[in-house]
Amino acid sequence: MKNMFTDIAIIGGGASGLLCGCAISKRYLKDNKKVSVTIFEKQQRVGRKILSTGNGKCNLTNAYANSKNYHGSFARYVDNLFQRYSPSYVVECFKKIGLLCTEDSNGRVYPLCKQASAVLDVLRFENERNGVELVCDTDVIEIKKSKGLFEIITANGSYQAKSVVIATGGKAAPKLGSDVKIYNTLKKSGHTCKPLSPALCAVPVKSDVIKSLKGVRCDGDVTLLCNDKAVKKESGEIQFTENALSGICVFNLSGYINGGDKNNRYEINIDLLPDFSFTDVKKLLTGRISLYKNEVIENLFVGLFHKRIGLALLKQSGIKTLSDKCSTLSDKNIDRLCENIKSWRFTALPCDSFDNAQVTSGGISGSEIDCNTLESKLVKNLYFCGEVIDIYGDCGGYNLQFAFASALAVGDNI
Ligand SMILES: Cc1cc2nc3c(=O)[nH]c(=O)nc-3n(C[C@H](O)[C@H](O)[C@H](O)COP(=O)(O)OP(=O)(O)OC[C@H]3O[C@@H](n4cnc5c(N)ncnc54)[C@H](O)[C@@H]3O)c2cc1C
């Protein structure tokens, strides 16, 4: 092994670790100080997850990010962090290292070239320019501290470092490198790891009609109910899979279910016509029934909903005589249909697999981390950035915004 000592060791060469490497090295180069920085990455290449973000386009921040978009014990410190490391500051930092960005109407920021690989490349180039050593294929198994120095035990031997940054991410999407063994070593040094659960993923549901809707998409409002109480409402495209509801609006509900009390009863309520009141929907249906009076009931929703959504609504409303004429529908039938259009209920089940989750709920407790410097309050010269901390954001660039902002804060304070 070439160099068994490094001033600063960054564990994890993902989004936060790579930007942290750039920020630290740039600062010390500016001050003309010779400080060695090494990034340890267990995979053969750094930043694999970045390549998969934003469907290959990388939604790297969101112009409107604030604490309301975040969950977990560090969420309350986010506004303070973003005062200094705002989304526009992050965009500016990327511009300085060669990446130009563009913002859509929802504040989502992407590289101008719409290639996630460009984000990874500019981070790699800047680290290389600044002399940061990237040590790949090196799994960090344990970190110990004695006599003011850290010992970083890897599968390939041990390193010593004066300071360590934990940028190992969470447990989500394990095929992209996620690994949780670092939490065990952190627990040994007294840190608390809040329970880990998958977030930003599809929500499995129990329903008689879900199978028949596989592959269908529609727009609407989704509301998460916990023991009949509304918890969170989102709007957007809902995607139906064989046994789950999916789509960004559903992803944003999933963390509450997966991380919630197992005894809670969760339901997802879909409003298929959010711009219509119940009375409007009733008027609409009555009008259709008079227009389609000689058509079979099966065709009642043609021109309004996807054919299979229409059939599922009829089934859920207990209407079995699909070959009868629309004119035979009773007032009770119409009321049931209106209820299901405005509030179509699905029993939601927790998902325990991290395979298809975008992020992890849980991680190192926010109360054990200095919210300005991101240094551990328990172990001096130990810093955290990114998803390893107990915080996650909604879909829309919020998770990378946190990864980058926290990395920049470490860079300025280490
Ligand atoms: C499919 C997908 C799409 C996403 N799209 C977006 C998006 O568009 N916008 C957005 O804001 N967020 C998105 N996210 C979430 C975002 O990618 C993460 O929140 C972000 O990457 C977290 O950065 P991180 O540096 O904390 O962790 P990671 O990026 O996960 O990096 C951690 C790195 O540490 C390495 N590592 C772990 N343990 C060890 C160890 N013991 N030794 C050495 N190395 C180790 C891992 O291999 C990994 O490379 C997406 C996530 C997924 C899975």
Side-chain angles (χ1 to χ4, degrees):
M1 205 174 306
K2 280 190 289 171
N3 187 1
M4 304 298 275
F5 175 83
T6 181
D7 288 301
I8 299 172
I10 300 173
I11 319 299
S16 65
L18 287 170
L19 188 62
C20 193
C22 298
I24 299 171
S25 53
K26 181 150 195 168
R27 188 177 126 224
Y28 284 113
L29 280 174
K30 209 169 109 214
D31 296 347
N32 257 330
K33 283 191 189 153
K34 256 194 135 350
V35 170
S36 52
V37 183
T38 306
I39 299 179
F40 295 91
E41 170 54 52
K42 63 176 258 197
Q43 299 195 86
Q44 284 176 346
R45 301 190 60 187
V46 290
R48 262 189 71 202
K49 193 182 281 175
I50 296 174
L51 299 175
S52 301
T53 57
N55 284 325
K57 291 188 286 186
C58 186
N59 176 194
L60 70 151
T61 181
N62 190 300
Y64 305 118
N66 67 65
S67 57
K68 291 197 187 87
N69 310 113
Y70 293 90
H71 318 273
S73 58
F74 198 85
R76 73 189 117 134
Y77 307 118
V78 148
D79 287 333
N80 174 57
L81 183 71
F82 290 0
Q83 255 174 30
R84 178 106 210 263
Y85 307 100
S86 63
S88 55
Y89 187 88
V90 167
V91 170
E92 199 49 37
C93 287
F94 272 100
K95 192 171 170 192
K96 284 186 187 150
I97 62 172
L99 187 84
L100 296 193
C101 293
T102 175
E103 186 184 317
D104 75 9
S105 56
N106 293 313
R108 295 188 199 112
V109 176
Y110 295 90
L112 191 61
C113 61
K114 296 280 168 84
Q115 279 189 298
S117 58
V119 178
L120 174 56
D121 286 343
V122 296
L123 288 168
R124 278 196 310 108
F125 297 160
E126 176 72 359
N127 275 303
E128 278 164 22
R129 265 195 303 272
N130 295 352
V132 174
E133 194 177 354
L134 301 183
V135 179
C136 290
D137 221 351
T138 301
D139 197 356
V140 173
I141 296 157
E142 203 169 354
I143 300 161
K144 292 181 185 163
K145 195 177 182 192
S146 76
K147 295 182 192 148
L149 274 186
F150 290 94
E151 188 187 3
I152 296 149
I153 301 161
T154 79
N156 312 331
S158 292
Y159 280 73
Q160 282 190 320
K162 287 185 193 158
S163 301
V164 168
V165 183
I166 307 289
T168 43
K171 200 176 173 183
K175 42 179 197 307
L176 299 174
S178 302
D179 184 332
V180 286
K181 69 173 136 350
I182 222 73
Y183 286 116
N184 297 331
T185 194
L186 293 168
K187 279 185 200 162
K188 281 187 202 160
S189 58
H191 292 89
T192 313
C193 176
K194 298 273 183 186
L196 308 178
S197 57
L200 304 191
C201 52
V203 173
V205 292
K206 216 160 69 183
S207 155
D208 290 347
V209 293
I210 190 72
K211 250 198 178 106
S212 70
L213 293 167
K214 184 181 169 190
V216 173
R217 292 163 186 244
C218 70
D219 286 335
D221 280 358
V222 285
T223 305
L224 176 67
L225 304 164
C226 173
N227 302 328
D228 294 320
K229 218 173 126 199
V231 176
K232 192 172 161 84
K233 185 173 166 186
E234 292 277 322
S235 306
E237 187 185 72
I238 304 149
Q239 297 170 16
F240 297 87
T241 74
E242 194 169 1
N243 59 359
L245 297 176
S246 188
I248 289 172
C249 58
V250 176
F251 281 12
N252 286 340
L253 307 180
S254 60
Y256 292 87
I257 305 165
N258 303 336
D261 187 327
K262 299 284 174 254
N263 297 316
N264 284 339
R265 189 168 43 83
Y266 291 102
E267 285 168 301
I268 290 181
N269 198 63
I270 300 180
D271 183 346
L272 289 167
L273 294 174
D275 296 333
F276 290 63
S277 67
F278 187 90
T279 320
D280 293 338
V281 174
K282 198 158 178 185
K283 233 187 256 168
L284 181 78
L285 270 200
T286 320
R288 291 183 79 79
I289 288 166
S290 99
L291 178 70
Y292 284 3
K293 58 179 180 289
N294 292 323
E295 284 294 335
V296 290
I297 292 174
E298 191 183 331
N299 289 335
L300 176 64
F301 291 114
V302 170
L304 178 60
F305 296 130
H306 187 290
K307 178 104 193 186
R308 281 192 270 147
I309 289 187
L311 291 175
L313 282 170
L314 289 163
K315 184 172 178 190
Q316 291 258 280
S317 307
I319 299 163
K320 294 188 183 114
T321 51
L322 300 189
S323 52
D324 285 0
K325 292 203 171 145
C326 287
S327 55
T328 62
L329 285 167
S330 66
D331 282 351
K332 204 169 145 207
N333 290 151
I334 297 168
D335 279 347
R336 275 305 303 278
L337 284 168
C338 293
E339 272 160 30
N340 280 323
I341 290 169
K342 287 299 289 172
S343 112
W344 196 5
R345 290 276 172 107
F346 291 84
T347 302
L349 307 170
C351 167
D352 53 10
S353 165
F354 284 84
D355 289 355
N356 297 311
Q358 289 201 356
V359 293
T360 307
S361 163
I364 297 303
S365 172
S367 63
E368 294 168 0
I369 301 170
D370 181 309
C371 63
N372 293 309
T373 62
L374 280 292
E375 186 177 9
S376 162
K377 290 183 184 170
L378 309 179
V379 179
K380 206 171 156 31
N381 295 329
L382 179 69
Y383 293 79
F384 298 96
C385 56
E387 211 179 300
V388 70
I389 301 172
D390 175 28
I391 181 168
Y392 76 91
D394 294 334
C395 266
Y398 304 105
N399 287 294
L400 285 172
Q401 165 60 23
F402 180 75
F404 294 142
S406 54
L408 291 168
V410 173
D412 280 344
N413 289 289
I414 199 165

